């Protein structure tokens, strides 16, 4: 950016002032240079020839990398000549009249350098400075002086630059893992390439290696195609633009585009990590003097040298064993030290392939790597960038940078698997076989992306992934029984959260089925740890205290059944609900319990009243005792704000007494809350409960949905004894326990129609 810039378009630009260049289509380096040449020729006509005055471009125009709808960054540099304000107006106003976005400044060379000393962003901007028009000697003086000043002061300015860069990353996220990332501002984006150019200009490291340059060009092409697709300046690659951008780039669909962007962003991020480390080492040497860095052994064949891990001299001189790359990775993960670039390149070139099955040393190194916790992420990413992971796991290229379109997922498939293993290390002491937990977490989604996954929904990847996971761990060297257990973990890794949130945990059928699927307490403990690791690696929307309590309750009940054969007893209602005068309303934390005279539709009335107070129902149980209808609900605030308990209790009492005004408010809210989206679906389960059939509704989440559906079920003659609500991003899976036996085909069709109409 230029110093003291402003961005505005004063006055009416005029109806006939068409942009001379803005919007010229074309993707690729030649198109970008053509746009820059057009701008240069036009801008040169705006500045009258004046000794001591030069028009200098920075930013995209300075680099000759003009996007179809980019802005202009211009500096009018002068030597103190009179009338400079009039000369500036002669340039700026035609640019505004052409409806172009403009960042501009007017400075002497000394002023520009002074501002650059105080603002590292200005320092970086001036490194791109290029003469466009006017006195070339003045422009050349600025470009030379700015580069010289940056080389002298870069080591001092880089800490501040790093701080602002990390703040930007915090705000915009990592481009490699975002479904709708900002191509410029996100980590690994075009802004980071400017930092790499600056570090390379300072001579601190070779930051712009061929792979980085290639990634840069592809990201520029993507940004060009995005501008062309949208028809205006935009840097965020939104979902609705992906297919069009992919077509302009000749790619096979939006997912192919996301994978390419992710790979390029990872290349940029990894290069910038290397560059920061190089700068840190130089700064440390200057503070400590010119002493030679000490080599410190950290593992077999691995030593620390100058803050990085390198191979011991004996390892380089001898024939390397196949497990060497895994030992280096494990050492990096456990010490949280980076692997030197030269070491990675040597291992990629000379480390022999692993035999099948792996030797015990290689298997132990992999488990150590996966169990290193947070240190695993950076070590794995480094090994992946240099091709080492592909040599370990031939299945990895299919998973690398594969996007996940479920909104609860924050990472691509490959990063999610690595993150899950890192999270699983927190639970290693809770299970008998921590090595199997780590391997199961690392492989639990290995079936994602296979063609058979899509038609039947997301659970299919568990079934598809089980044999793949078994094959992987067999190749790694696990015996058949342990490989089969890994397959079981992968196949059942969704069992506990799905059952806990969608089924009645007090129903003996629920517990019997889970116990039969799991088989033994050791497997149950592994699944419980895997579920928590998977959720933590998915994102904050995948887990909640309520979900954690449900899963823990399910695990406790299943373990009791496995250990003793005792199934849960039916729940006992609160005695106060049976004794106090009707209607009874009890509010306690997340529990809402009511009792009223037995009548149909009570659950719908309670659900609607809770929706009116912006409370989400997580579970609901309805029962009848001695002529009293009881409803107990677990709730949470929909928007984070707790409901007023006095107002809620008053509305519940009025609704239970049949107050028409409350009913009308409920209906008005329900109608207003209807949403559009993918078609909802109803699924019936015949043997999922002891005394009921289960109707599952899969639909878009919306305020008052439970009220509408329970009202529809009541109107259709179906009696609901329990409901379980599971929210998955913007969707819900609501399970309703209907008493009265299995309905006929006609009855099911009628109930289906009523429920779908309510949605």
């Amino acid at each position: 950016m230029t110093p003291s810039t402003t961005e505005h378009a004063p006055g009416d630009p005029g109806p006939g002032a068409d942009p001379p260049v803005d919007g010229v289509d074309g993707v690729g380096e030649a198109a970008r240079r053509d746009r820059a040449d057009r701008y240069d020729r036009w801008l040169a006509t705006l500045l009258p020839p004046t000794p001591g005055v030069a028009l200098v471009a920075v930013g995209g125009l300075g680099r000759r990398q003009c996007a179809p709808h980019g802005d202009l960054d211009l500096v009018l540099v002068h030597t103190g000549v009179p009338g400079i304000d009039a000369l500036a107006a002669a340039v700026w106003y035609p640019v505004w009249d052409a409806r172009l976005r403009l960042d501009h400044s007017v400075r002497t060379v000394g002023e520009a350098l002074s501002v650059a000393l105080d603002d590292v962003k200005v320092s970086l901007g001036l490194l791109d400075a290029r003469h466009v028009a006017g006195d070339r000697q003045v422009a050349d003086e600025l470009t030379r002086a700015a580069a010289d000043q940056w080389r002298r002061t870069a080591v001092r300015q880089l800490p501040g630059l790093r701080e602002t860069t990390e703040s930007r990353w915090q705000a915009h996220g990592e481009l490699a893992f975002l479904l709708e990332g900002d191509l410029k501002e996100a980590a690994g984006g075009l802004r980071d390439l400017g930092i790499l150019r600056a570090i390379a200009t300072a001579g601190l490291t070779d930051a712009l290696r061929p792979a980085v340059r290639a990634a840069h060009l592809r990201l520029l092409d993507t940004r060009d195609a995005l501008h062309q697709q949208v028809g205006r300046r935009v840097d965020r690659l939104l979902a609705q633009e992906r297919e069009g951008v992919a077509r302009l780039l000749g790619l096979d669909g939006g997912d192919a585009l996301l994978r390419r962007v992710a790979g390029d962003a990872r290349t940029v991020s990894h290069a910038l990590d290397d560059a920061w480390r190089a700068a840190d080492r130089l700064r440390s040497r200057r503070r400590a003097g010119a002493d030679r860095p000490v080599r410190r052994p950290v593992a077999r064949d691995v030593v620390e040298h100058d803050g990085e891990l390198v191979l011991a001299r004996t390892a380089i001189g001898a024939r390397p064993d196949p497990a060497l790359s895994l030992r280096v990775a494990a050492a990096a993960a456990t010490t949280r030290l980076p692997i030197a670039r030269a070491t990675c390149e040597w291992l990629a070139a000379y480390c022999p392939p692993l035999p099948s099955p792996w030797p015990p040393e290689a298997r132990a190194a992999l488990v150590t790597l996966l169990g290193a916790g947070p240190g695993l992420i950076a070590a794995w990413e480094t090994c992946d960038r240099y091709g080492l992971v592909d040599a370990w796991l031939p299945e990895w290229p299919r998973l690398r940078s594969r996007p996940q379109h479920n909104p609860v997922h924050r990472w691509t498939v490959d990063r999610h698997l690595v993150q899950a293993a890192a999270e699983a290390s927190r639970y290693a002491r809770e299970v008998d076989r921590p090595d199997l937990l780590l391997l199961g977490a690392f492989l639990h989604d290995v079936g994602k992306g296979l063609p058979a996954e899509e038609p039947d929904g997301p659970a299919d990847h568990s079934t598809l992934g089980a044999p793949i996971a078994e094959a992987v761990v067999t190749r790694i060297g696990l015996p058949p029984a342990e490989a089969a257990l890994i397959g079981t973990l992968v196949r059942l890794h969704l069992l506990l959260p799905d059952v806990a949130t969608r089924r009645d945990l007090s129903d003996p059928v629920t517990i019997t089925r889970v116990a039969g699927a799991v088989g033994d307490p050791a497997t149950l403990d592994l699944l419980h740890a895997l579920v928590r690791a998977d959720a933590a690696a998915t994102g904050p929307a995948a887990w909640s205290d309520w979900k954690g309590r449900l899963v823990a309750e399910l695990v406790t009940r299943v373990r009791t059944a496995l250990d003793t054969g005792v199934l849960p007893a039916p729940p006992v209602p609160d005695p106060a609900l049976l004794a106090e005068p009707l209607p009874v309303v009890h509010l306690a934390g997340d529990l809402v319990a009511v009792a009223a005279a037995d009548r149909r539709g009570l659950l719908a009335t309670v659900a609607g009243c809770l929706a009116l107070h912006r409370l989400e129902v997580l579970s609901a149980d309805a029962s009848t005792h001695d002529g009293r209808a009881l409803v107990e609900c677990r709730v949470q605030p929909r928007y984070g704000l707790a409901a007023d308990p006095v107002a809620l209790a008053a509305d519940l009492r009025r609704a239970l007494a049949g107050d028409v005004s409350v009913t009308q408010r409920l209906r008005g809210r329900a109608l207003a809350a209807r949403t559009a989206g993918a078609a909802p679906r109803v699924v019936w389960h015949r043997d999922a409960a002891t005394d009921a059939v289960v109707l599952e509704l899969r639909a878009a989440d919306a305020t008052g949905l439970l009220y509408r559906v329970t009202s529809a079920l009541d109107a259709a003659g179906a009696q609901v004894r329990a409901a379980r609500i599971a929210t998955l991003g913007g969707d819900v899976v609501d399970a309703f326990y209907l008493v009265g036996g299995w309905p006929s085909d006609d009855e099911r069709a009628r109930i289906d129609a009523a429920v779908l109409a309510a949605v």
Side-chain angles (χ1 to χ4, degrees):
M1 296 294 292
T2 59
S4 300
T5 62
T6 61
E7 183 180 297
H8 58 120
D12 183 357
D18 293 328
V21 180
D22 185 48
V24 174
D25 286 340
V27 174
E29 187 70 7
R32 288 188 287 272
R33 289 183 174 274
D34 176 60
R35 284 188 286 269
D37 291 342
R38 292 175 183 232
Y39 274 127
D40 286 357
R41 290 193 296 269
W42 177 63
L43 291 169
T45 67
L46 305 180
L47 181 66
T50 307
V53 179
L55 185 62
V56 172
V58 295
L61 180 58
R63 297 186 299 272
R64 296 170 60 83
Q65 294 172 346
C66 294
H69 296 279
D71 56 0
L72 294 182
D73 297 294
L74 299 174
V75 186
L76 194 63
V77 189
H78 64 98
T79 58
V81 299
I84 191 64
D85 290 340
L87 289 173
V91 177
W92 307 153
Y93 276 88
V95 175
W96 288 325
D97 289 342
R99 298 184 176 89
L100 297 174
R101 295 166 59 95
L102 173 64
D103 286 353
H104 65 91
S105 62
V106 181
R107 300 290 187 204
T108 64
V109 171
E111 289 170 344
L113 296 177
S114 177
V115 174
L117 273 178
D118 297 329
D119 189 338
V120 67
K121 292 182 180 179
V122 175
S123 292
L124 267 61
L126 291 178
L127 295 178
D128 296 326
R130 180 177 62 84
H131 172 266
V132 172
D135 193 328
R136 182 176 290 275
Q137 287 186 339
V138 175
D140 290 346
E141 180 186 354
L142 175 64
T143 55
R144 284 195 302 268
D148 289 344
Q149 178 173 281
W150 171 250
R151 292 188 186 99
R152 293 193 310 271
T153 63
V155 173
R156 175 170 58 85
Q157 293 199 72
L158 280 177
L161 175 61
R162 188 170 188 174
E163 183 178 341
T164 59
T165 299
E166 290 175 349
S167 296
R168 171 170 54 82
W169 292 347
Q170 187 71 26
H172 293 277
E174 296 181 68
L175 181 58
F177 307 113
L178 294 170
L179 290 174
E180 295 186 332
D182 190 306
L183 297 172
K184 186 175 183 179
E185 302 293 348
L190 293 169
R191 185 76 74 187
D192 286 353
L193 282 152
I195 298 173
L196 284 171
R197 284 194 304 274
I199 293 175
T201 300
L204 301 180
T205 183
D206 179 16
L208 297 176
R209 293 164 66 84
V212 178
R213 294 177 186 272
H216 185 195
L217 292 177
R218 286 191 293 269
L219 288 172
L220 287 171
D221 288 349
T222 304
R223 197 260 308 270
D224 290 353
L226 179 59
H227 282 206
Q228 186 170 329
Q229 170 70 18
V230 178
R232 58 183 174 85
R233 177 188 173 182
V234 61
D235 294 320
R236 190 178 177 195
L237 183 58
L238 297 177
Q240 62 264 28
E241 311 298 347
R242 281 199 295 261
E243 294 298 328
V245 172
R247 282 194 299 272
L248 289 171
L249 295 173
L251 299 176
D252 186 19
D255 278 6
L257 171 62
L258 284 177
R259 296 188 79 170
R260 192 176 90 166
V261 168
D264 292 337
R266 284 172 140 172
T267 297
V268 173
S269 293
H270 191 73
L272 189 52
D273 287 343
D274 278 347
W276 291 132
R277 288 199 299 270
D280 290 343
R281 287 197 300 273
L282 181 58
R283 234 180 0 262
S284 298
R285 289 174 191 169
R286 289 184 177 180
R287 286 197 301 264
D291 294 340
R292 186 175 180 180
V294 177
R295 295 171 66 91
R296 179 178 66 89
V298 296
R300 176 188 164 193
D301 297 327
V302 186
V303 298
E304 177 191 351
H305 176 76
D306 204 11
E308 294 182 322
L309 295 187
V310 300
L311 292 175
R313 295 185 180 93
T314 54
I316 297 175
R319 177 180 175 83
D321 67 274
L324 179 59
S325 61
L326 279 163
R327 290 204 306 276
V328 173
T334 53
T335 62
R336 301 193 186 182
L337 291 172
I339 308 172
R341 186 175 72 192
T343 299
C344 292
E345 292 172 342
W346 192 93
L347 290 170
Y350 299 111
C351 194
L354 287 158
S356 183
W358 289 11
E361 183 183 16
R363 187 166 60 253
L366 176 63
V367 172
T368 300
L369 172 61
L370 296 179
L376 165 65
I377 307 300
W380 190 275
E381 188 73 13
T382 297
C383 294
D384 196 19
R385 299 316 298 165
Y386 288 94
L388 301 180
V389 175
D390 290 2
W392 306 336
L393 300 167
E395 298 82 2
W396 200 250
R398 176 176 59 82
L399 303 170
R400 182 184 294 113
S401 298
R402 178 172 291 279
Q404 303 197 77
H405 296 287
N406 189 318
V408 301
H409 274 281
R410 63 181 302 186
W411 308 116
T412 53
V413 174
D414 57 332
R415 173 61 184 273
H416 171 66
L417 293 176
V418 178
Q419 192 75 35
E423 298 290 347
S425 66
R426 299 163 51 196
Y427 306 106
R429 297 182 181 181
E430 297 182 12
V431 298
D432 293 338
R433 291 293 304 270
D435 55 335
L436 299 186
L437 170 62
L438 295 169
L439 289 169
F442 176 64
L443 295 170
H444 75 278
D445 277 350
V446 73
K448 282 191 172 177
L450 295 174
E453 175 192 347
E454 281 75 15
D456 296 323
D460 265 356
H461 75 270
S462 307
T463 302
L464 293 169
I468 299 173
E470 290 187 41
V472 170
V473 296
T474 298
R475 188 171 66 245
I476 288 173
L478 292 190
E482 295 179 4
L485 179 53
I486 293 293
T488 298
L489 295 179
V490 172
R491 188 173 60 256
L492 299 182
H493 76 268
L494 295 175
L495 175 68
L496 296 182
D498 283 354
V499 171
T501 56
R502 302 180 191 178
R503 294 293 180 266
D504 182 0
L505 302 188
S506 65
D507 192 320
V509 170
T510 300
I511 306 307
T512 300
R513 288 196 166 188
V514 174
V518 171
D520 60 78
T523 302
L524 179 65
D525 290 338
L526 287 169
L527 283 172
H528 189 200
L530 174 53
V531 164
R532 288 173 285 169
D534 184 14
T538 297
W543 198 251
S544 65
D545 291 342
W546 167 250
K547 192 171 186 178
R549 291 199 302 270
L550 285 179
V551 171
E553 180 184 349
L554 173 61
V555 169
T556 299
R557 290 171 178 266
V558 172
R559 180 180 288 109
T560 299
L562 290 170
D563 289 341
T564 67
V566 177
L567 295 174
V572 178
D574 182 353
L577 295 177
L578 302 177
E580 293 182 9
L582 298 179
V584 183
V585 175
H586 283 181
L587 306 179
D590 64 352
L591 176 65
V592 175
V594 304
D598 189 12
R599 62 179 174 85
R600 298 187 65 88
L602 183 62
L603 176 58
T605 298
V606 173
C609 197
L610 295 174
L612 188 65
H613 287 263
R614 295 179 171 84
L615 292 172
E616 290 182 337
V617 178
L618 303 171
S619 69
D621 291 287
S623 58
T624 303
H625 296 268
D626 300 326
R628 291 187 174 214
L630 311 182
V631 175
E632 297 178 273
C633 299
R634 295 286 178 176
V635 300
Q636 67 180 10
R638 188 170 185 86
Y639 303 111
L641 297 175
D644 180 353
V646 175
L648 174 59
D651 274 350
L652 281 169
R653 287 191 177 91
R654 284 198 296 270
L656 295 176
D659 189 315
V660 177
S661 64
V662 177
T663 306
Q664 290 174 339
R665 290 164 61 199
L666 300 179
R667 290 175 177 171
R669 280 283 180 90
L671 291 172
R674 292 178 184 267
T675 60
R681 183 184 177 198
V682 171
V683 179
W684 292 81
H685 299 274
R686 185 168 194 164
D687 299 317
T690 302
D691 58 352
V693 297
V694 176
L695 180 151
E696 272 190 358
L697 170 65
R698 302 171 186 178
D701 191 15
T703 301
L705 179 63
L706 181 62
Y707 165 64
R708 301 200 305 271
V709 174
T710 50
S711 296
L713 289 170
D714 180 60
Q719 183 179 349
V720 180
R721 77 156 174 81
R724 296 294 181 269
I725 292 82
T727 303
L728 307 170
D731 288 348
V732 293
V733 179
D734 291 353
F736 299 93
Y737 283 68
L738 308 182
V739 298
W742 182 250
S744 66
D745 292 346
D746 290 342
E747 289 175 323
R748 289 200 308 277
R750 180 170 52 82
I751 294 173
D752 284 356
V755 169
L756 295 176
V759 176

